[in-house]
Amino acid sequence: MVNEILKSRAHLAARHRLVQCLGSCRKFEPNVGPPPDMRGVRRLKNQQPEAMGRHRKELAAETLSRLGDRSIVMVGLMGCGKTTVGRRLAQSLRLPFVDADTEIERAARMTIPEIFAEHGEAYFRAGERRVIARLLGERRQVLATGGGAFMDPDTRTAIARAGVSIWLRASLDVLMERVMRRDDRPLLKTADPRAKMQALMDERYPIYAEADLVIDSLDHAHDVVVGEALKKLPGAMAGRAT
């Protein structure tokens, strides 16, 4: 009997020590609280693209309001993204997109390399000038021009009168990485295309800087460049009469 009592007391003492230990351990447990409501997190993630979409629509509406009946004209060197960015910008603004080089080829029934080869650059520039003037007088649009178009004083005047110009500025490395994917650049058919591109940058960048808006065309998604254009266009047009 005595032994049973002793065992019972020892068991109760051990149980008491265990309860005390557990109680002290709980004091050091982190207070993590209940698990978060993931439904709220998912709602927030879904709302972010939706909010961005609404903001872009508001910017597009403001741009169109300030634009009036003018066109948006993309200028810059070959490879800067005028066609790709211009097409996506046109989609955001719900405007038609026109590529001046495509229209020149359609009018001449020849490709641009063929025009250069058979008639020379001066002949091509004269036709380019006429085509761009015609396009600017037709309708409101996003118009991508060739790299040399903005160098022509008459074309710059026509663009300033009937459009808002955006220069897509890019570094030499970005331009060369892009243009070397294709073999249809007449001006780069030289022994040193990189040196030729640098010479074009030195010649043309001071003139491109006369554009109404400058957007850096970096080595990232074109949609980012479109977003930058939409953010900056209303401000660029704020002081101009429509």
Side-chain angles (χ1 to χ4, degrees):
M1 177 67 70
V2 174
N3 290 336
E4 291 179 357
I5 293 173
L6 291 174
K7 289 180 180 179
S8 177
R9 288 179 178 177
H11 176 72
L12 290 173
R15 184 176 179 182
H16 180 68
R17 287 195 298 272
L18 178 61
V19 170
Q20 286 182 327
C21 179
L22 290 174
S24 63
C25 289
R26 288 193 185 98
K27 295 178 182 179
F28 297 96
E29 289 178 355
N31 185 19
V32 295
D37 182 3
M38 296 307 296
R39 290 174 299 178
V41 175
R42 285 193 293 269
R43 281 197 299 269
L44 179 60
K45 289 182 177 180
N46 292 333
Q47 288 171 358
Q48 288 174 346
E50 183 180 346
M52 291 174 62
R54 285 199 303 269
H55 182 56
R56 180 166 287 201
K57 289 179 180 179
E58 291 169 359
L59 290 172
E62 184 178 359
T63 296
L64 290 172
S65 175
R66 293 185 182 275
L67 189 63
D69 59 357
R70 293 173 295 174
S71 293
I72 294 175
V73 184
M74 316 299 294
V75 305
L77 271 177
M78 63 187 93
C80 69
K82 299 185 296 290
T83 298
T84 304
V85 172
R87 183 174 286 113
R88 295 186 183 185
L89 180 60
Q91 291 173 349
S92 296
L93 296 172
R94 297 187 178 181
L95 290 175
F97 172 77
V98 180
D99 188 300
D101 284 351
T102 300
E103 295 299 314
I104 293 167
E105 291 181 334
R106 181 178 291 115
R109 298 182 180 178
M110 301 171 67
T111 66
I112 290 175
E114 288 171 346
I115 298 173
F116 267 79
E118 294 191 23
H119 302 287
E121 184 176 359
Y123 179 90
F124 169 77
R125 297 301 175 194
E128 181 180 56
R129 185 187 311 117
R130 292 192 299 271
V131 168
I132 291 176
R134 171 176 60 81
L135 292 172
L136 288 171
E138 289 182 350
R139 58 180 175 175
R140 185 168 69 167
Q141 66 203 294
V142 176
L143 174 64
T145 62
F150 203 66
M151 300 300 293
D152 184 271
D154 292 338
T155 297
R156 287 201 302 278
T157 300
I159 291 173
R161 184 185 304 116
V164 176
S165 52
I166 300 177
W167 171 27
L168 296 183
R169 180 174 57 190
S171 69
L172 178 61
D173 288 338
V174 169
L175 293 173
M176 291 307 298
E177 193 278 328
R178 292 175 180 172
V179 299
M180 296 312 289
R181 300 172 189 168
R182 295 165 50 181
D183 190 31
D184 60 347
R185 309 285 188 176
L187 293 179
L188 295 183
K189 292 187 180 297
T190 65
D192 191 346
R194 187 178 181 88
K196 178 62 177 179
M197 182 69 84
Q198 182 63 65
L200 290 171
M201 292 173 67
D202 294 341
E203 175 191 5
R204 294 179 179 181
Y205 273 26
I207 302 299
Y208 291 158
E210 297 180 18
D212 297 306
L213 180 61
V214 180
I215 301 289
D216 284 314
S217 179
L218 304 175
D219 192 16
H220 53 215
H222 285 113
D223 196 53
V224 176
V225 182
V226 173
E228 283 297 303
L230 286 173
K231 285 192 293 185
K232 294 181 178 180
L233 269 168
M237 295 185 293
R240 295 189 53 180
T242 56

